[in-house]
Amino acid sequence: MAEQKREHREQPCARCPTRHMTDPLTGLADRRQFRDCLAEQLTAGGPDGPGVMLIDLDRFKAVNDALGHPAGDALLQSAARRLRGALRPDDTVARLGGDEFAVLFARPVDRGSMSAIAARLVELLARPYLLRGQVALVGASIGGAIAPEDGTDPDRLMSCADLALYQSKGRGRGCFSFFAPEMQSRADERRRLEIALRAALPRGELALHYQPQVNLHSQALAGFEALLRWNRPGNGLIPPTAFIPLAEETGLIGSIGDWVVREATVEAARWPAPLCVAVNVAPQQFQDGRLVGTVRAALAAAGLPGSRLELEVTESALLEDAGWCTRDQLQALKEMGVRISLDDFGTGYSSLSQLRNFPFDRVKIDRSFADDAAVVRAVALLGASLGMRTTAEGVETPEQLERMRAEGCTEAQGFLLGLPMPPEEAAALIRRSDDLLHKPGEVG
Amino acid sequence: MSVTHEVFRLAYASRSLLPEATVAEEMVRLLEHARRNNAAAGITGALLFTEDAFVQVLEGTMEAVEVTFERIQCDPRHAEVVVLEAAVAPARDFAGWSMAYAGRQTGPHFDALAARTHAAPMDALVLLHGALGRLSGCRVPA
């Protein structure tokens, strides 16, 4: 490919009084100048208001970490030149900070042309960068908003574009989204949810429900998996899928996870031995390094032997582990007698090396395989040969239960054997657990 | 630093966006620019143009290759750039060629080049050498 000679001289919008405010690294406009230009254009605006785009480089931090800040700066300079060169000279291009860029179109744009330009920019910014002999790859996520329909005030228009950018990131990055009013309402709802979730723990709105787990060989109750519920005032009982992602994103998962471990161990200590309680652990709980201490203190306070606590981790917790620190923590937990199980097996990478690299006590076969005899058999066999127990999840019919047993699973859980239930009901179930498997239809 | 005297070689493949109607003139212009810029920057290399793909090798100091490659990256006449090789090389493969070009080739297609990134660097160099071999005898202005 030949090279086209291009002059990339920054030309701040001519009407702006503050044309000297530029970003020193890239020579583009800075945030203040961009806002001034936008305000100016909105004031001068005819029937068609200006359009703005916010652009975030995806995975820029990884480049910075891997190749160093000078290389990261060089990448930002190249990205700035690519942007500048792909747009009209009178469009305003700014670096708002970090890896965040913005474009203000000098001429009215409609949604179609903004989408087309955005697609071009996504492709252009995703082309490889050569930085001191190293190839670096980043992507770009873009959000757009157009005045006057999305807003007529500069801050409002910027925040619309920002919400659209957030949407693009949520869609998997490397794409463009326009602002839509429901993004605003969703963001508002999210903010309300976060405020309410922060208060949920101190206000005692979180509760654990317990789902029975049955030993397929002895047909006896083996224990319960503790599942989190949020009794949000005015909203009823909220399942974890509706708030755990937010808790993980906001870091609240740390304190919630600590509470779950304490609450579950206290409850399990009320059950007769050898009934176990299984607790889910989020990847973030390994990152702050508190988990081992929390578990040790919880076991001691509840007077529960470590062997009656099982921690369920997902593959992603292990994959996100940059060093070996998650495995070290798991090892420390095992030394306390705590058992470790690999949860949702089959849904992620289902990596055999994961199974081999850590001595899990148990593999839980994801519920989506309840009807797949071949997969169940293979995982049960694999578990057995690696010395691990296998739990079949999502057992809903007597036929499935019989098949799981026949294929070699050691434990099972599912609606057939009992729904997640409040602690009182779990206690009642324990009392009549003797005939659990003999008359499964009457349970749950 | 001695690093600056080492030969750095970069090979990439990309999808051509040249409109078929004006391909011939575009290629003449493209090569003219490339040779002029490359000669000034001490860059040598070769260009392969298939039905829908470019494969190009750039050789020079790391700095010169970086500047040239980034300029190429801004070019709207291609897209979906995939780097096939970026490393210090023992010597220039295309010494004396500011941009060797053997005319349009029938294959391979961009999808094949981009999909097989492990095998592709070899293929690309083999292809380029093949193209050069066919050129020997007929002189291309360097």
Side-chain angles (χ1 to χ4, degrees), chain B residues 76-94:
Chain B
R77 291 173 292 187
H78 69 162
E80 300 173 57
V81 179
V82 178
V83 173
L84 304 172
E85 185 191 357
V88 171
R92 290 182 191 245
D93 272 2
F94 302 99

Side-chain angles (χ1 to χ4, degrees), chain A residues 123-281:
Chain A
E123 189 276 326
L124 185 69
L125 292 169
R127 294 184 189 181
Y129 297 80
L130 186 63
L131 309 167
R132 302 170 167 209
Q134 305 279 334
V135 178
L137 296 169
V138 296
S141 297
I142 305 185
I146 298 178
E149 51 272 43
D150 297 334
T152 50
D153 161 82
D155 296 325
R156 167 84 197 139
L157 206 57
M158 293 278 277
S159 111
C160 288
D162 203 31
L163 284 166
L165 172 61
Y166 183 78
Q167 173 84 2
S168 292
K169 289 182 179 177
R171 281 169 52 205
R173 304 170 193 273
C175 62
F176 170 69
S177 309
F178 268 116
F179 170 75
E182 61 268 23
M183 291 177 194
Q184 185 67 58
S185 44
R186 227 178 301 141
D188 293 344
E189 171 54 28
R190 215 182 97 87
R191 206 175 47 249
R192 276 195 295 274
L193 188 70
E194 186 186 336
I195 293 166
L197 186 57
R198 273 185 197 283
L201 201 52
R203 286 160 74 170
E205 292 167 10
L206 296 184
L208 291 183
H209 282 197
Y210 297 89
Q211 183 168 33
Q213 298 178 321
V214 170
N215 182 310
L216 288 174
H217 176 67
S218 67
Q219 309 198 346
L221 188 63
F224 293 86
E225 177 177 356
L227 295 160
L228 190 59
R229 297 289 182 267
W230 177 16
N231 203 341
R232 187 181 175 193
N235 291 267
L237 218 51
I238 302 180
T241 47
F243 65 92
I244 289 295
L246 182 66
E248 291 184 339
E249 219 176 294
T250 54
L252 279 170
I253 193 71
S255 49
I256 292 176
D258 287 355
W259 176 83
V260 170
V261 170
R262 286 195 300 269
E263 182 73 11
T265 46
V266 166
E267 188 59 32
R270 298 187 178 118
W271 305 336
L275 290 183
C276 288
V277 68
V279 172
N280 293 283
V281 180

Side-chain angles (χ1 to χ4, degrees), chain A residues 257-311:
Chain A
D258 287 355
W259 176 83
V260 170
V261 170
R262 286 195 300 269
E263 182 73 11
T265 46
V266 166
E267 188 59 32
R270 298 187 178 118
W271 305 336
L275 290 183
C276 288
V277 68
V279 172
N280 293 283
V281 180
Q284 284 89 340
Q285 289 178 264
F286 290 100
Q287 278 155 25
D288 63 17
R290 286 195 318 219
L291 186 66
V292 175
T294 300
V295 169
R296 182 175 288 127
L299 289 172
L304 187 76
S307 59
R308 290 178 58 197
L309 174 66
E310 198 164 288
L311 296 180

Side-chain angles (χ1 to χ4, degrees), chain A residues 1-2 82 123 127-128, chain B residues 12 30 66 70 73 78 80:
Chain A
M1 198 77 228
R82 290 185 190 183
E123 189 276 326
R127 294 184 189 181
Chain B
Y12 73 86
L30 192 149
E66 197 170 313
E70 186 52 38
Q73 290 292 57
H78 69 162
E80 300 173 57

Side-chain angles (χ1 to χ4, degrees), chain B residues 58-75:
Chain B
L58 301 169
E59 303 168 331
T61 63
M62 191 185 283
E63 291 76 8
V65 170
E66 197 170 313
V67 169
T68 303
F69 180 61
E70 186 52 38
R71 198 164 49 217
I72 294 170
Q73 290 292 57
C74 295
D75 199 310

